Amino acid sequence: MSTPGLPGAIRLVQIDGHAQNGSDKKPHAATLSAHDISYRLQVACGRCSHRSKETRILYNITGIFQQGMNAIMGPTGSGKTSFLDILAGRKDPEGVSGQLLLNGKQVPSNFKCMVGYVVQEDVVMGTLTVKENLAFSAALRLPTTISSKEKKERVNEVISELQLDKCANTKIGTEFLRGVSGGEKKRCNIGMELIISPPVLFLDEPTTGLDANTATTVLMILKRLSRKGRSIIFSIHQPRYSIYQLFDNLTILSQGCTVYHGPAPEAIQFFATQGFQCQEYNNPPDFFLDIINGDPSTFMDLCAVKSSQDTCIEMTRHNCHNKLVDGFKASAWNTKLMSEAKLISTAMESHVQVKRDKHHLDYMTSFCHQIKVVAGRALINILRNPHTSILTIVFTIIFASIIATIYWHLDETSPAALKDRSGVIFFLIMNHLFFNMSAVEVFINERRIFMHEHSSGYYRVSVYFIVKIFFDILPLRLVPVIIVCTVVYFSVGLNPGIVNFLLFMSCLFCTTMAAASLCFLVSSTIRVFAVAQLLLAFCYVLMILLGGFLINPDTINAWLNWIQYLSLFRYALNTLYIIEFKDRVFCPNGTNCREGNVYLQEQNIAYAEPWDFWQNYVALVSYGWLLLILTYIQLRRMKKTF
């Protein structure tokens, strides 16, 4: 049943007595109930991407999840992750119908910020320690009314609760930095959600990537947390028996339908009532999935006398699915479930419904506080990440030294004076275009972290965007420009004068900013790093080809000539040429003097009026700001539900 006036949406109810600010140290027991949840998804149809068809993922699922360990099991493609995301408020309401109730009262629109959600992939900053990651969560998700001392105490409590004392000051780890183990990283992910003491904690496949012993340790810690008053709901694929014993409630899905919902120890009894006996030494979860999947070894005896064994097994699998779904509908477990769900739903109908805004988020901290905390993390990340800081500076120095060595003290009386200076300018611009391709990883590598943290109410999109811009452009874009210009400009002997030097450096910085902005836009749009790099390389090559150095743009066909006005290379080349050649005379051996102004005319570069020079600066700055605005718009519209 959908909310009146909001088709396909989910209705939620507030937890009795739960503090919305997340500051309660002891969560209240919560009962989350799902009533006739269905989920439809539009997918592309065949080769025609503009056409789509509706695929149904979930079919009228009803379930009640109380305090304790609530497991959702099912084979791959059964819909367990989609169901978990719907329960947690993380699924796009488009295509979702049904009712979610929580203790009889309506919750605020930012329900997903009040509960904890641990995604399958780790979403913690690798350059920070375990304690620093937890402190980051506390600083943003706990209200400013809570003192810093209380937040530190809360962080220490979570560390103790998750048995992270030994690794509290150890970095999580990156591809360049050795860190904690997989189990400790998973517990750190859980700890970032426990900071707000959520009454309901959701986990998507918490044992993924962990060995059997570590997985058991993580689930035992979750079991202890559930005994302290939390409802823990998680999806899991095929756990070992020691983990299965920790379950209080079990939901089994098959092809989007409920096969079983009830106490975990009674699942074997239900399957027995359907004619499927679990052998004495067989692991129950393995047995359940074997029956649902139609494992050939399970049905080999049934199909031994059939002429086509493969066809028989497929028919048996299909019949088994129908048998289990129909059997559960007619079982005492379903009768009890529907009776309890009806009581909850009836009580819910007596309350006034409030229309929810699916995009609404209530942040616990102010804009300025978020800037301070996120910027602090970004600064630590830069200082501890050699890939994006030290290596960038080192390669910049190496490149600048090579250029300075090759073009050391160019002679104005050389016959190749104009050609050599043009070569220096060309390589400097090309370097600042292609070196900025490292910026493409900014939003690609942190996409999931950003999506999870924003959806959980850590910070605003504008906060993340501003911090990434200032802490990427300023330290990693401005510093290399200063190094290159300082080393190259004077060692090569370009147009003398401090004003010319500053204009030269500012032009390269504007070029760098515009190139980095293009990388930001591409990385916020494309998820695959290799594809993003290929697209950027194509754009840069096209800009260089049509930028005026390799070919005169006026000789290009009219249908292609217009692309020159989109070329960063063209505007940078024009600016640096004017700075270097305007009003200068180059006389090889005192004869056959060549004027720089004539050379500019040969290159079709206007230079006579002040606007001829400054229009290139305006173009570069406008180019950069326009791309940054488009990047911000893309981050705003990026789908943050799963």
Side-chain angles (χ1 to χ4, degrees):
M1 187 169 76
S2 302
T3 304
L6 189 60
I10 300 175
R11 289 189 283 170
L12 298 165
V13 189
Q14 185 175 354
I15 306 169
D16 290 331
H18 176 63
Q20 297 179 21
N21 60 15
S23 61
D24 280 352
K25 293 185 178 181
K26 185 177 181 180
H28 296 273
T31 299
L32 178 68
S33 58
H35 304 259
D36 292 326
I37 297 296
S38 295
Y39 178 46
R40 296 174 175 84
L41 183 65
Q42 296 292 331
V43 296
C45 181
R47 298 179 180 178
C48 302
S49 58
H50 63 279
R51 299 177 60 187
S52 62
K53 65 178 181 179
E54 185 179 85
T55 300
R56 195 164 182 179
I57 308 299
L58 300 175
Y59 295 82
N60 305 107
I61 297 181
T62 296
I64 299 175
F65 305 91
Q66 299 175 331
Q67 175 187 340
M69 296 282 282
N70 299 271
I72 302 175
M73 277 181 52
T76 302
S78 62
K80 57 183 182 295
T81 298
S82 295
F83 184 47
L84 183 76
D85 290 340
I86 292 173
L87 292 176
R90 298 291 181 118
K91 183 66 70 176
D92 190 343
E94 186 73 24
V96 178
S97 62
Q99 223 180 29
L100 284 182
L101 306 180
L102 196 56
N103 287 355
K105 291 185 180 179
Q106 189 171 10
V107 298
S109 300
N110 62 330
F111 166 67
K112 60 184 178 182
C113 300
M114 297 171 56
V115 297
Y117 187 90
V118 181
V119 297
Q120 184 173 348
E121 297 181 13
D122 296 319
V123 286
V124 287
M125 191 64 70
T127 52
L128 272 63
T129 65
V130 170
K131 193 170 187 177
E132 288 171 341
N133 273 292
L134 297 178
F136 176 80
S137 178
L140 293 175
R141 302 186 73 185
L142 295 178
T144 52
T145 54
I146 298 179
S147 66
S148 299
K149 181 180 178 180
E150 290 175 317
K151 290 179 181 179
K152 290 181 181 179
E153 291 176 354
R154 179 63 189 144
V155 169
N156 292 329
E157 287 175 4
V158 171
I159 289 175
S160 177
E161 199 171 21
L162 296 177
Q163 301 176 7
L164 292 170
D165 307 81
K166 293 183 179 179
C167 63
N169 296 313
T170 304
K171 297 179 181 66
I172 296 298
T174 65
E175 60 268 26
F176 298 101
L177 185 67
R178 186 175 181 179
V180 299
S181 66
E184 291 167 337
K185 186 183 295 185
K186 180 64 68 176
R187 279 181 274 164
C188 183
N189 278 270
I190 297 172
M192 293 188 71
E193 303 303 315
L194 291 181
I195 285 292
I196 61 173
S197 296
V200 184
L201 178 64
F202 298 92
L203 303 99
D204 184 16
E205 300 278 1
T207 59
T208 298
L210 304 179
D211 61 75
N213 184 61
T214 304
T216 303
T217 301
V218 170
L219 267 293
M220 289 180 67
I221 290 175
L222 292 175
K223 180 69 173 182
R224 285 197 294 270
L225 293 175
S226 70
R227 290 172 178 169
K228 296 180 180 180
R230 289 185 178 90
S231 298
I232 297 180
I233 306 173
F234 57 94
S235 62
I236 194 166
H237 182 62
Q238 206 161 346
R240 62 190 296 189
Y241 183 67
S242 59
I243 293 178
Y244 173 75
Q245 284 183 308
L246 301 175
F247 299 169
D248 296 310
N249 191 74
L250 176 63
T251 301
I252 304 178
L253 302 180
S254 173
Q255 300 178 30
C257 300
T258 303
V259 167
Y260 175 77
H261 179 87
E266 298 179 13
I268 295 179
Q269 182 181 349
F270 163 73
F271 275 82
T273 62
Q274 305 304 308
F276 302 104
Q277 295 289 342
C278 181
Q279 294 84 357
E280 184 177 358
Y281 298 106
N282 196 358
N283 180 27
D286 292 337
F287 169 72
F288 300 151
L289 295 190
D290 284 345
I291 298 298
I292 294 172
N293 285 325
D295 181 48
S297 62
T298 305
F299 303 112
M300 196 65 71
D301 294 337
L302 297 175
C303 299
V305 297
K306 300 290 184 179
S307 57
S308 176
Q309 196 174 79
D310 292 340
T311 302
C312 173
I313 292 174
E314 186 61 35
M315 291 177 60
T316 304
R317 180 186 294 116
H318 177 72
N319 293 337
C320 184
H321 165 79
N322 292 336
K323 178 179 177 64
L324 290 172
V325 172
D326 294 338
F328 178 71
K329 289 180 180 179
S331 69
W333 289 274
N334 186 59
T335 301
K336 180 182 178 181
L337 170 64
M338 291 302 172
S339 176
E340 294 178 355
K342 186 176 181 180
L343 290 175
I344 298 174
S345 180
T346 301
M348 175 61 185
E349 293 174 357
S350 63
H351 292 87
V352 178
Q353 303 302 310
V354 179
K355 186 176 180 179
R356 299 176 64 245
D357 179 6
K358 66 181 180 181
H359 300 295
H360 177 70
L361 285 175
D362 284 337
Y363 299 98
M364 293 298 170
T365 55
S366 65
F367 177 85
C368 294
H369 181 80
Q370 292 176 10
I371 286 284
K372 176 184 175 182
V373 176
V374 179
R377 184 178 71 169
L379 181 59
I380 293 175
N381 187 46
I382 289 175
L383 295 176
R384 295 178 181 175
N385 194 340
H387 178 64
T388 56
S389 54
I390 298 176
L391 292 181
T392 300
I393 302 301
V394 169
F395 281 118
T396 299
I397 295 174
I398 292 174
F399 176 81
S401 301
I402 293 174
I403 295 295
T405 302
I406 294 175
Y407 294 96
W408 181 262
H409 287 306
L410 292 178
D411 189 357
E412 294 185 8
T413 63
S414 170
L418 292 171
K419 179 181 177 182
D420 291 345
R421 282 169 167 75
S422 298
V424 172
I425 292 173
F426 171 80
F427 278 110
L428 286 177
I429 298 174
M430 188 177 68
N431 166 68
H432 285 83
L433 285 179
F434 282 96
F435 261 40
N436 277 287
M437 289 182 66
S438 62
V440 76
E441 69 176 3
V442 169
F443 295 121
I444 290 180
N445 289 355
E446 295 184 12
R447 178 183 292 266
R448 291 196 65 87
I449 294 179
F450 162 66
M451 291 173 61
H452 172 71
E453 291 179 345
H454 172 67
S455 298
S456 299
Y458 281 73
Y459 45 70
R460 298 164 175 83
V461 174
S462 56
V463 169
Y464 179 79
F465 177 73
I466 291 172
V467 168
K468 295 306 294 184
I469 296 304
F470 280 94
F471 280 84
D472 191 273
I473 282 186
L474 291 181
L476 299 182
R477 305 292 171 249
L478 178 58
V479 173
V481 170
I482 294 175
I483 293 174
V484 169
C485 289
T486 303
V487 173
V488 172
Y489 197 89
F490 299 104
S491 60
V492 170
L494 298 179
N495 195 5
I498 188 63
V499 174
N500 292 327
F501 169 73
L502 293 177
L503 288 174
F504 194 95
M505 184 169 62
S506 63
C507 175
L508 283 182
F509 176 67
C510 290
T511 304
T512 296
M513 186 185 74
S517 300
L518 179 60
C519 293
F520 291 157
L521 178 60
V522 171
S523 65
S524 65
T525 306
I526 299 175
R527 298 187 178 188
V528 182
F529 182 76
V531 175
Q533 278 198 321
L534 183 63
L535 177 60
L536 282 171
F538 173 78
C539 292
Y540 289 157
V541 169
L542 197 61
M543 289 179 182
I544 294 173
L545 183 62
L546 301 175
F549 183 84
L550 302 176
I551 187 172
N552 192 321
D554 292 340
T555 64
I556 303 175
N557 292 330
W559 65 272
L560 193 60
N561 188 37
W562 62 272
I563 299 181
Q564 66 174 302
Y565 300 105
L566 300 178
S567 173
L568 297 175
F569 187 89
R570 173 180 180 271
Y571 298 116
L573 188 72
N574 290 355
T575 305
L576 298 184
Y577 267 23
I578 293 174
I579 294 173
E580 179 62 23
F581 298 119
K582 183 181 179 182
D583 298 332
R584 298 186 68 188
V585 179
F586 300 88
C587 294
N589 301 322
T591 59
N592 299 323
C593 295
R594 295 199 62 187
E595 295 183 5
N597 292 348
V598 175
Y599 182 73
L600 293 175
Q601 291 176 0
E602 293 174 355
Q603 303 300 318
N604 289 333
I605 298 176
Y607 65 91
E609 300 296 331
W611 174 245
D612 294 333
F613 173 73
W614 292 109
Q615 67 178 347
N616 296 297
Y617 270 104
V618 172
L620 288 173
V621 173
S622 301
Y623 206 117
W625 279 110
L626 176 61
L627 292 174
L628 288 178
I629 292 172
L630 293 176
T631 302
Y632 177 70
I633 294 174
Q634 174 60 20
L635 289 178
R636 292 283 301 180
R637 63 179 295 272
M638 184 187 294
K639 186 177 180 182
K640 302 178 184 67
T641 50
F642 305 104

